[in-house]
Amino acid sequence: MTAEEPKWRRNVVQSLKDRNHKETNLFNSIFTANNRLFDANVQLQQENLRLSVDNEQLRSGAGFSGDGGNSAASAKIQALEKKLLTQQEELTELHKRKGENAQKIVDLNVKLGEVEKHAQDREEKYTEQVTLNGSLKAEVQMLTNNISELKGLNTILRDEYTALQLALTSLEDKLRKVQDENRQLVDRLMKYKAKDADKLNEENESLLRKRTEKMRRELEDAAQDASRRSSSPILPLDRGDRGSLADLSGAGAKAAGFFSVSLPTSVHIKFDAHDGEVNAIRWCPLDRIIATGGADRKVKLWDVGTGTMEPRGTLVGSNAGVNSVDFDSTGTMILGTSNDFASRVWTVTDQRLRVS
């Protein structure tokens, strides 16, 4: 066996030699006994041949020696025949033992063939296992490399995840700050709007008082002028019948040059415009259409030309309650504002949201 052969082959050959030596040692005694019997058989055959020759010589000599030597020769011949018979029996026993040993050798050869076949099968299985072991080692090495790569990738992903967590924490802090600032700005805006509303209400009340005072003075002046220009005398009225100048009516008002003014005393049309509060209403400048805005986040159009409130459409898209509506000068577009600090524009014809 050369040195270039694989180590596993040398190990297999050495294992086979050891096993052969171990198994043949058990039968060395049988082989030795068989050889001894074979040698004893050969010696007995030679001795039997020699005794047969001696017997023939004795018989030949007995014919020439006469009657004197017949008794001694007969005794000797009988002893030799008895010895020959004994040796023949021993030879038969040896042949029998030889046959048994030969049968044992045949059986042992059969068993040895089976053992060699089993050893060959085991060697083939061992070769297959060695090949499979090599492929498994290569696969294990590949999986080990993959695991190393995955560990490196996992480390990178953990670093990125940590960085993203830090960035998310920073952004959440910024978002909370922005929300706080937005809340503060909304509070300030609401305060400013409340102040503006109070100021506007005060201005409206002041303007209303001025207009009322101015109208009262104008009515008094007009009443005085009419009394001076009239040719017919004006009968004085009692204080209880005259009342204020704003309540002038009848013959006295006609004599003073005024016509009677009536205030609405009953509801002409009443309808439910929205599912909640109605915050705004506006007449269309060119058509008998009104627009209403309510807390249900909708702007609705109503036709009042027939004397009844017929719905013309619903404008949607607001995210909070609508608090103000208005038409443009052409009556084709509607502007609405809501409580989410947004303004939106719809078209009247197709009722679609155009600007948000």
PDB file of all heavy atoms in Angstrom, residues 267-289:
ATOM      1  N   VAL A 267     -94.346  83.694  11.098  1.00  0.00           N
ATOM      2  CA  VAL A 267     -93.332  82.963  10.318  1.00  0.00           C
ATOM      3  C   VAL A 267     -93.932  82.560   8.987  1.00  0.00           C
ATOM      4  O   VAL A 267     -95.028  81.975   8.935  1.00  0.00           O
ATOM      5  CB  VAL A 267     -92.847  81.716  11.080  1.00  0.00           C
ATOM      6  CG1 VAL A 267     -91.848  80.937  10.234  1.00  0.00           C
ATOM      7  CG2 VAL A 267     -92.228  82.131  12.400  1.00  0.00           C
ATOM      8  N   HIS A 268     -93.210  82.909   7.894  1.00  0.00           N
ATOM      9  CA  HIS A 268     -93.714  82.576   6.562  1.00  0.00           C
ATOM     10  C   HIS A 268     -93.378  81.119   6.202  1.00  0.00           C
ATOM     11  O   HIS A 268     -94.256  80.381   5.745  1.00  0.00           O
ATOM     12  CB  HIS A 268     -93.084  83.512   5.532  1.00  0.00           C
ATOM     13  CG  HIS A 268     -93.538  83.241   4.127  1.00  0.00           C
ATOM     14  ND1 HIS A 268     -94.856  83.358   3.733  1.00  0.00           N
ATOM     15  CD2 HIS A 268     -92.847  82.830   3.029  1.00  0.00           C
ATOM     16  CE1 HIS A 268     -94.968  83.047   2.455  1.00  0.00           C
ATOM     17  NE2 HIS A 268     -93.746  82.724   1.993  1.00  0.00           N
ATOM     18  N   ILE A 269     -92.081  80.705   6.351  1.00  0.00           N
ATOM     19  CA  ILE A 269     -91.655  79.338   6.048  1.00  0.00           C
ATOM     20  C   ILE A 269     -90.726  78.877   7.167  1.00  0.00           C
ATOM     21  O   ILE A 269     -89.828  79.608   7.582  1.00  0.00           O
ATOM     22  CB  ILE A 269     -90.911  79.250   4.700  1.00  0.00           C
ATOM     23  CG1 ILE A 269     -91.839  79.657   3.555  1.00  0.00           C
ATOM     24  CG2 ILE A 269     -90.389  77.827   4.472  1.00  0.00           C
ATOM     25  CD1 ILE A 269     -91.129  79.720   2.226  1.00  0.00           C
ATOM     26  N   LYS A 270     -90.939  77.680   7.630  1.00  0.00           N
ATOM     27  CA  LYS A 270     -90.079  77.079   8.650  1.00  0.00           C
ATOM     28  C   LYS A 270     -89.703  75.669   8.201  1.00  0.00           C
ATOM     29  O   LYS A 270     -90.577  74.893   7.814  1.00  0.00           O
ATOM     30  CB  LYS A 270     -90.807  77.029  10.000  1.00  0.00           C
ATOM     31  CG  LYS A 270     -89.953  76.439  11.112  1.00  0.00           C
ATOM     32  CD  LYS A 270     -90.709  76.420  12.425  1.00  0.00           C
ATOM     33  CE  LYS A 270     -89.873  75.823  13.541  1.00  0.00           C
ATOM     34  NZ  LYS A 270     -90.599  75.785  14.824  1.00  0.00           N
ATOM     35  N   PHE A 271     -88.405  75.367   8.230  1.00  0.00           N
ATOM     36  CA  PHE A 271     -87.950  74.046   7.787  1.00  0.00           C
ATOM     37  C   PHE A 271     -86.666  73.681   8.543  1.00  0.00           C
ATOM     38  O   PHE A 271     -85.987  74.552   9.094  1.00  0.00           O
ATOM     39  CB  PHE A 271     -87.689  74.032   6.281  1.00  0.00           C
ATOM     40  CG  PHE A 271     -86.592  74.958   5.831  1.00  0.00           C
ATOM     41  CD1 PHE A 271     -85.294  74.475   5.611  1.00  0.00           C
ATOM     42  CD2 PHE A 271     -86.819  76.318   5.647  1.00  0.00           C
ATOM     43  CE1 PHE A 271     -84.290  75.322   5.215  1.00  0.00           C
ATOM     44  CE2 PHE A 271     -85.804  77.159   5.240  1.00  0.00           C
ATOM     45  CZ  PHE A 271     -84.536  76.661   5.022  1.00  0.00           C
ATOM     46  N   ASP A 272     -86.361  72.393   8.570  1.00  0.00           N
ATOM     47  CA  ASP A 272     -85.140  71.871   9.212  1.00  0.00           C
ATOM     48  C   ASP A 272     -84.047  71.777   8.153  1.00  0.00           C
ATOM     49  O   ASP A 272     -84.081  70.904   7.273  1.00  0.00           O
ATOM     50  CB  ASP A 272     -85.396  70.494   9.828  1.00  0.00           C
ATOM     51  CG  ASP A 272     -86.385  70.575  10.974  1.00  0.00           C
ATOM     52  OD1 ASP A 272     -86.428  71.626  11.625  1.00  0.00           O
ATOM     53  OD2 ASP A 272     -87.109  69.580  11.187  1.00  0.00           O
ATOM     54  N   ALA A 273     -83.086  72.677   8.248  1.00  0.00           N
ATOM     55  CA  ALA A 273     -82.037  72.731   7.224  1.00  0.00           C
ATOM     56  C   ALA A 273     -80.905  71.751   7.507  1.00  0.00           C
ATOM     57  O   ALA A 273     -80.358  71.144   6.585  1.00  0.00           O
ATOM     58  CB  ALA A 273     -81.474  74.157   7.123  1.00  0.00           C
ATOM     59  N   HIS A 274     -80.536  71.541   8.790  1.00  0.00           N
ATOM     60  CA  HIS A 274     -79.360  70.726   9.122  1.00  0.00           C
ATOM     61  C   HIS A 274     -79.674  69.842  10.328  1.00  0.00           C
ATOM     62  O   HIS A 274     -80.644  70.101  11.072  1.00  0.00           O
ATOM     63  CB  HIS A 274     -78.136  71.608   9.436  1.00  0.00           C
ATOM     64  CG  HIS A 274     -77.649  72.384   8.250  1.00  0.00           C
ATOM     65  ND1 HIS A 274     -76.737  71.892   7.350  1.00  0.00           N
ATOM     66  CD2 HIS A 274     -77.968  73.643   7.831  1.00  0.00           C
ATOM     67  CE1 HIS A 274     -76.508  72.807   6.429  1.00  0.00           C
ATOM     68  NE2 HIS A 274     -77.239  73.881   6.691  1.00  0.00           N
ATOM     69  N   ASP A 275     -78.829  68.826  10.499  1.00  0.00           N
ATOM     70  CA  ASP A 275     -78.928  67.939  11.663  1.00  0.00           C
ATOM     71  C   ASP A 275     -78.179  68.571  12.826  1.00  0.00           C
ATOM     72  O   ASP A 275     -77.136  68.107  13.268  1.00  0.00           O
ATOM     73  CB  ASP A 275     -78.337  66.556  11.331  1.00  0.00           C
ATOM     74  CG  ASP A 275     -79.095  65.875  10.218  1.00  0.00           C
ATOM     75  OD1 ASP A 275     -80.276  66.179  10.058  1.00  0.00           O
ATOM     76  OD2 ASP A 275     -78.471  65.045   9.510  1.00  0.00           O
ATOM     77  N   GLY A 276     -78.676  69.658  13.321  1.00  0.00           N
ATOM     78  CA  GLY A 276     -77.998  70.374  14.395  1.00  0.00           C
ATOM     79  C   GLY A 276     -78.198  71.871  14.225  1.00  0.00           C
ATOM     80  O   GLY A 276     -79.193  72.344  13.653  1.00  0.00           O
ATOM     81  N   GLU A 277     -77.211  72.614  14.727  1.00  0.00           N
ATOM     82  CA  GLU A 277     -77.310  74.061  14.676  1.00  0.00           C
ATOM     83  C   GLU A 277     -77.059  74.585  13.265  1.00  0.00           C
ATOM     84  O   GLU A 277     -76.237  74.027  12.527  1.00  0.00           O
ATOM     85  CB  GLU A 277     -76.294  74.691  15.638  1.00  0.00           C
ATOM     86  CG  GLU A 277     -76.532  74.319  17.096  1.00  0.00           C
ATOM     87  CD  GLU A 277     -75.466  74.937  18.000  1.00  0.00           C
ATOM     88  OE1 GLU A 277     -74.528  75.535  17.462  1.00  0.00           O
ATOM     89  OE2 GLU A 277     -75.608  74.810  19.224  1.00  0.00           O
ATOM     90  N   VAL A 278     -77.775  75.667  12.923  1.00  0.00           N
ATOM     91  CA  VAL A 278     -77.550  76.388  11.664  1.00  0.00           C
ATOM     92  C   VAL A 278     -76.707  77.615  11.993  1.00  0.00           C
ATOM     93  O   VAL A 278     -77.134  78.492  12.750  1.00  0.00           O
ATOM     94  CB  VAL A 278     -78.873  76.784  10.997  1.00  0.00           C
ATOM     95  CG1 VAL A 278     -78.604  77.550   9.709  1.00  0.00           C
ATOM     96  CG2 VAL A 278     -79.719  75.547  10.723  1.00  0.00           C
ATOM     97  N   ASN A 279     -75.483  77.642  11.446  1.00  0.00           N
ATOM     98  CA  ASN A 279     -74.539  78.706  11.808  1.00  0.00           C
ATOM     99  C   ASN A 279     -74.509  79.855  10.819  1.00  0.00           C
ATOM    100  O   ASN A 279     -74.071  80.962  11.172  1.00  0.00           O
ATOM    101  CB  ASN A 279     -73.127  78.116  11.930  1.00  0.00           C
ATOM    102  CG  ASN A 279     -73.037  77.073  13.010  1.00  0.00           C
ATOM    103  OD1 ASN A 279     -73.751  77.143  14.011  1.00  0.00           O
ATOM    104  ND2 ASN A 279     -72.167  76.092  12.817  1.00  0.00           N
ATOM    105  N   ALA A 280     -74.937  79.657   9.559  1.00  0.00           N
ATOM    106  CA  ALA A 280     -74.820  80.720   8.551  1.00  0.00           C
ATOM    107  C   ALA A 280     -75.902  80.531   7.501  1.00  0.00           C
ATOM    108  O   ALA A 280     -76.360  79.405   7.240  1.00  0.00           O
ATOM    109  CB  ALA A 280     -73.435  80.686   7.901  1.00  0.00           C
ATOM    110  N   ILE A 281     -76.327  81.663   6.880  1.00  0.00           N
ATOM    111  CA  ILE A 281     -77.290  81.656   5.776  1.00  0.00           C
ATOM    112  C   ILE A 281     -76.975  82.844   4.875  1.00  0.00           C
ATOM    113  O   ILE A 281     -76.544  83.912   5.354  1.00  0.00           O
ATOM    114  CB  ILE A 281     -78.736  81.708   6.316  1.00  0.00           C
ATOM    115  CG1 ILE A 281     -79.730  81.575   5.172  1.00  0.00           C
ATOM    116  CG2 ILE A 281     -78.959  82.987   7.117  1.00  0.00           C
ATOM    117  CD1 ILE A 281     -81.147  81.346   5.640  1.00  0.00           C
ATOM    118  N   ARG A 282     -77.154  82.652   3.557  1.00  0.00           N
ATOM    119  CA  ARG A 282     -76.829  83.720   2.595  1.00  0.00           C
ATOM    120  C   ARG A 282     -77.711  83.569   1.369  1.00  0.00           C
ATOM    121  O   ARG A 282     -77.930  82.457   0.878  1.00  0.00           O
ATOM    122  CB  ARG A 282     -75.366  83.635   2.187  1.00  0.00           C
ATOM    123  CG  ARG A 282     -74.903  84.765   1.275  1.00  0.00           C
ATOM    124  CD  ARG A 282     -74.879  86.097   2.000  1.00  0.00           C
ATOM    125  NE  ARG A 282     -73.899  86.059   3.086  1.00  0.00           N
ATOM    126  CZ  ARG A 282     -73.650  87.095   3.872  1.00  0.00           C
ATOM    127  NH1 ARG A 282     -74.318  88.226   3.714  1.00  0.00           N
ATOM    128  NH2 ARG A 282     -72.781  86.987   4.840  1.00  0.00           N
ATOM    129  N   TRP A 283     -78.259  84.760   0.880  1.00  0.00           N
ATOM    130  CA  TRP A 283     -79.054  84.778  -0.349  1.00  0.00           C
ATOM    131  C   TRP A 283     -78.119  84.860  -1.548  1.00  0.00           C
ATOM    132  O   TRP A 283     -77.093  85.513  -1.518  1.00  0.00           O
ATOM    133  CB  TRP A 283     -79.988  85.995  -0.380  1.00  0.00           C
ATOM    134  CG  TRP A 283     -81.191  85.857   0.498  1.00  0.00           C
ATOM    135  CD1 TRP A 283     -81.288  86.193   1.799  1.00  0.00           C
ATOM    136  CD2 TRP A 283     -82.449  85.349   0.096  1.00  0.00           C
ATOM    137  NE1 TRP A 283     -82.530  85.938   2.273  1.00  0.00           N
ATOM    138  CE2 TRP A 283     -83.289  85.409   1.233  1.00  0.00           C
ATOM    139  CE3 TRP A 283     -82.977  84.853  -1.098  1.00  0.00           C
ATOM    140  CZ2 TRP A 283     -84.612  84.986   1.199  1.00  0.00           C
ATOM    141  CZ3 TRP A 283     -84.304  84.441  -1.117  1.00  0.00           C
ATOM    142  CH2 TRP A 283     -85.097  84.506   0.009  1.00  0.00           C
ATOM    143  N   CYS A 284     -78.545  84.146  -2.638  1.00  0.00           N
ATOM    144  CA  CYS A 284     -77.808  84.259  -3.898  1.00  0.00           C
ATOM    145  C   CYS A 284     -78.135  85.616  -4.517  1.00  0.00           C
ATOM    146  O   CYS A 284     -79.312  86.006  -4.560  1.00  0.00           O
ATOM    147  CB  CYS A 284     -78.205  83.131  -4.839  1.00  0.00           C
ATOM    148  SG  CYS A 284     -77.401  83.213  -6.454  1.00  0.00           S
ATOM    149  N   PRO A 285     -77.140  86.358  -5.030  1.00  0.00           N
ATOM    150  CA  PRO A 285     -77.420  87.707  -5.555  1.00  0.00           C
ATOM    151  C   PRO A 285     -78.202  87.693  -6.863  1.00  0.00           C
ATOM    152  O   PRO A 285     -78.797  88.716  -7.212  1.00  0.00           O
ATOM    153  CB  PRO A 285     -76.023  88.301  -5.739  1.00  0.00           C
ATOM    154  CG  PRO A 285     -75.133  87.125  -5.922  1.00  0.00           C
ATOM    155  CD  PRO A 285     -75.706  86.028  -5.075  1.00  0.00           C
ATOM    156  N   LEU A 286     -78.220  86.610  -7.599  1.00  0.00           N
ATOM    157  CA  LEU A 286     -78.851  86.597  -8.912  1.00  0.00           C
ATOM    158  C   LEU A 286     -79.995  85.609  -9.037  1.00  0.00           C
ATOM    159  O   LEU A 286     -80.603  85.516 -10.100  1.00  0.00           O
ATOM    160  CB  LEU A 286     -77.801  86.264  -9.994  1.00  0.00           C
ATOM    161  CG  LEU A 286     -76.618  87.228 -10.089  1.00  0.00           C
ATOM    162  CD1 LEU A 286     -75.655  86.756 -11.159  1.00  0.00           C
ATOM    163  CD2 LEU A 286     -77.085  88.641 -10.398  1.00  0.00           C
ATOM    164  N   ASP A 287     -80.271  84.811  -8.051  1.00  0.00           N
ATOM    165  CA  ASP A 287     -81.300  83.792  -8.154  1.00  0.00           C
ATOM    166  C   ASP A 287     -81.981  83.639  -6.795  1.00  0.00           C
ATOM    167  O   ASP A 287     -81.439  84.067  -5.767  1.00  0.00           O
ATOM    168  CB  ASP A 287     -80.682  82.457  -8.592  1.00  0.00           C
ATOM    169  CG  ASP A 287     -81.720  81.521  -9.168  1.00  0.00           C
ATOM    170  OD1 ASP A 287     -82.908  81.881  -9.159  1.00  0.00           O
ATOM    171  OD2 ASP A 287     -81.321  80.418  -9.626  1.00  0.00           O
ATOM    172  N   ARG A 288     -83.154  83.041  -6.814  1.00  0.00           N
ATOM    173  CA  ARG A 288     -83.902  82.852  -5.574  1.00  0.00           C
ATOM    174  C   ARG A 288     -83.426  81.558  -4.910  1.00  0.00           C
ATOM    175  O   ARG A 288     -84.165  80.579  -4.754  1.00  0.00           O
ATOM    176  CB  ARG A 288     -85.410  82.805  -5.865  1.00  0.00           C
ATOM    177  CG  ARG A 288     -85.945  84.101  -6.451  1.00  0.00           C
ATOM    178  CD  ARG A 288     -87.438  84.016  -6.675  1.00  0.00           C
ATOM    179  NE  ARG A 288     -88.181  83.854  -5.445  1.00  0.00           N
ATOM    180  CZ  ARG A 288     -88.512  84.843  -4.620  1.00  0.00           C
ATOM    181  NH1 ARG A 288     -88.150  86.086  -4.896  1.00  0.00           N
ATOM    182  NH2 ARG A 288     -89.214  84.597  -3.520  1.00  0.00           N
ATOM    183  N   ILE A 289     -82.166  81.541  -4.530  1.00  0.00           N
ATOM    184  CA  ILE A 289     -81.525  80.403  -3.874  1.00  0.00           C
ATOM    185  C   ILE A 289     -80.841  80.916  -2.618  1.00  0.00           C
ATOM    186  O   ILE A 289     -80.212  81.990  -2.627  1.00  0.00           O
ATOM    187  CB  ILE A 289     -80.505  79.716  -4.793  1.00  0.00           C
ATOM    188  CG1 ILE A 289     -81.199  79.118  -6.009  1.00  0.00           C
ATOM    189  CG2 ILE A 289     -79.732  78.621  -4.052  1.00  0.00           C
ATOM    190  CD1 ILE A 289     -80.241  78.544  -7.021  1.00  0.00           C
TER     191      ILE A 289
END
